[in-house]
Amino acid sequence: MTTLVVCLDRTDDVGRKTGLRSPVVGWEAVRALVTDVGLADPEDSGVNTLLESLRVAQNLRDENEEVVVAVVSGDHESMVSADRAVAEQLDDLIAEYDPESAVVVTDSAEDERLIPIVESRVRVDSVDRVVVRQARDIESTYYLLKQFLADEELRQTVLVPIGLTLLVFPLLATTVGPAQGAAAITTVIGLFLLYKGFNVDELLARAARQTQESLYSGQVSVVTYVVAAGLTFVGLFVGALGVSNLGETPGVVIPATRFAFDSIPWLAMAALTASAGRLLDEAIGDDPIRSSFLNLPFIVLAVALVVRGFSAYFLEQQGVIDPFVVPANEFGIVSNKRFVMAAGERLALFVVTAILVSLVGARVAASLSGSSEAAERGDGGSETALANGGQAGTDGDREPGSETDGVADAATDAIPERRDQELADGGADANADPNGDDRDR
């Protein structure tokens, strides 16, 4: 296995100080380059990088590996030209030596930007960054700050809030007091951190993009979503109005139950409207309707019935609402007298109805999705049947001596004779004697 030990120099420090053109390939050439760079600038960390490349190559040779050590330099005119020069030199090295892997040796974060270029051409097994020991903390901090300031998104995320805090805090401290100013700034910073932590900006951008696509594509769900939002606001208002009519009620259980009891019909209608719009979009589209969209309205209705039933049970137990009264009705020969339904009976009716609705939804979703899949397989199934029928005559599992076998064999024997009879002048047999007679053939 051939390993390429490559020393990266993005800004061409080696070329500017020694006058040599890269790539510099080979043990002796790189060792001589160490002396040239050291004499030109003894304080340059590139000397340590070249020595580290030689050390890594020596260790790999001791492990009986074929090693090619090389120094690749870029261009100091611009970063784009430097990266392209490095890519071109790497292509030449890979074409000549065909390495299976590479070990990258760098001395700065600037040179590490070339690692993706190396990885796009050969497998990188190791990255060795050389930092001068006496200046490890200073150099690392410098390059980290330099890389941080070069990133525009990080600058906007960190530096802008810090700058605004330093500007606003003196104003708030002089007007409302230091404590109130610090509290206000802390609140704003906390909200900003939550905004970035929960990716609210990405969620808003995704929602805006989906809304724009829905408007341009003419989806029905856009209108139903707006209607559902209106019904949701109505439900919240009705629930708040019901809570306000309770008066002075200790605790939060009764107000919360009253809010759920009054708002759940409107919230359920909002959910049903939104799911109906999504279902219409699926029905209009070319793809088959998924069972989840078919079952969603039934699940929403079942959940609404359960919430309504339990909230009514608790409110009736506390005397907030009156018991449910079934009036006297007469439907032909069927009639009932007026009676009052107890709280437990009312809850059982809602729960049983919710279970029945969910079962009906599951059944409807399964039947409709199954019929759509069967319709999709209709054409494909007929073609498969024709193909199987065409292969039936050549099936090798037929019993010997059967009539089908005999008919098939006779048809097979008759094919060459029929082809000979149908040969035209331009379709004569290529193996036939050109001087022979057709009857002999």
Side-chain angles (χ1 to χ4, degrees), residues 140-286:
S140 300
T141 304
Y142 168 74
Y143 281 111
L144 286 175
L145 288 176
K146 185 178 179 181
Q147 186 176 5
F148 169 75
L149 294 175
D151 194 337
E152 183 178 357
E153 184 177 358
L154 286 176
R155 288 202 310 269
Q156 295 178 356
T157 305
V158 178
L159 296 182
V160 172
I162 293 176
L164 291 176
T165 301
L166 295 177
L167 289 175
V168 173
F169 180 74
L171 298 176
L172 294 178
T174 56
T175 55
V176 298
Q180 292 81 357
I185 292 177
T186 304
T187 303
V188 173
I189 293 177
L191 292 175
F192 176 76
L193 293 177
L194 291 176
Y195 176 82
K196 300 297 290 186
F198 287 109
N199 292 328
V200 178
D201 51 350
E202 296 182 2
L203 295 177
L204 293 177
R206 188 183 303 113
R209 185 170 58 255
Q210 291 178 355
T211 303
Q212 184 180 7
E213 293 177 356
S214 300
L215 290 173
Y216 289 157
S217 59
Q219 294 182 357
V220 182
S221 58
V222 176
V223 180
T224 58
Y225 286 162
V226 174
V227 176
L231 293 174
T232 302
F233 285 120
V234 172
L236 297 177
F237 177 77
V238 171
L241 189 62
V243 172
S244 64
N245 293 330
L246 291 175
E248 296 294 335
T249 303
V252 296
V253 177
I254 298 302
T257 308
R258 182 69 188 191
F259 179 85
F261 178 80
D262 291 334
S263 63
I264 194 62
W266 295 95
L267 297 178
M269 285 191 292
L272 289 174
T273 304
S275 62
R278 195 71 182 90
L279 184 60
L280 288 175
D281 289 340
E282 291 287 328
I284 294 172
D286 297 332

Side-chain angles (χ1 to χ4, degrees), residues 15 17 21 25 42 48 51 85 92 123 154 167 172 205 213 216 226 254 299 310 347 358 385 396 407 428 436:
K17 293 175 182 179
R21 298 186 60 183
V25 186
N48 303 88
L51 291 174
D92 295 337
R123 187 181 76 246
L154 286 176
L167 289 175
L172 294 178
E213 293 177 356
Y216 289 157
V226 174
I254 298 302
I299 295 298
F310 277 98
L347 176 61
S358 62
V407 173

